[in-house]
Amino acid sequence: MAPDLEIDLQVGGAYRMVGAGETPISGTVLELVPEGRLVLSWLEEGADWVHPARLVVTLEPTASGTRVDLVHDGFAGIGKDGWPNTYEAYERGVDEHRLLQRLAELAVATPVA
C-alpha cells in the first residue's frame, strides 16, 4: 500500500502511512484472516473526517495465483458534509496514482519465501 507502512498486524493494532498524494493515513486493524482478508479503518489525518472509512483487502486463490480485491467504503459515514466529493476524489486517485498497477508490479517482483 505504501513503502513507509508501519503496522501492528493484529486485530486492534494501529497502522500509519503516507498515502498517495502525500496524505498521512492512519487507523486500526479491524479484521485479519491470514492469507484471506484484511480490514482496516482508514482516516485521513488533518482532514475534517469525524469517523474513519474502511479498506477491505480480500485474497482468493486462483489456478494462476491470487485474486486481490480492494474495496474502499464507508465514505458516507466519515462525518464530512462533502463526503461525495471525497469519494469521487478516491475514485479518480486509483487511476491517477496507478494503485492497482503498482500493486500488481510489486506482487510480481516480490519472490515468495
Side-chain angles (χ1 to χ4, degrees):
M1 293 188 332
D4 67 338
L5 173 66
E6 295 178 15
I7 187 168
D8 179 7
L9 200 52
Q10 61 181 329
V11 173
Y15 79 91
R16 186 167 194 280
M17 67 180 179
V18 176
E22 303 302 313
T23 302
I25 305 292
S26 62
T28 58
V29 177
L30 301 174
E31 184 180 339
L32 175 63
V33 176
E35 300 181 26
R37 183 173 160 97
L38 174 65
V39 181
L40 302 173
S41 66
W42 184 276
L43 184 70
E44 281 190 13
E45 295 179 10
D48 53 354
W49 296 19
V50 178
H51 306 287
R54 218 172 55 136
L55 178 67
V56 180
V57 181
T58 306
L59 306 174
E60 180 183 336
T62 67
S64 60
T66 303
R67 175 185 167 91
V68 179
D69 286 317
L70 299 174
V71 175
H72 225 139
D73 64 14
F75 289 100
I78 65 174
K80 178 178 176 179
D81 289 338
W83 72 265
N85 296 331
T86 302
Y87 171 79
E88 290 169 8
Y90 270 77
E91 285 284 309
R92 286 189 309 273
V94 168
D95 293 331
E96 289 172 11
H97 298 290
R98 299 182 51 246
L99 297 178
L100 297 177
Q101 293 89 340
R102 288 176 39 210
L103 177 61
E105 290 164 6
L106 179 62
V108 170
T110 305
V112 176

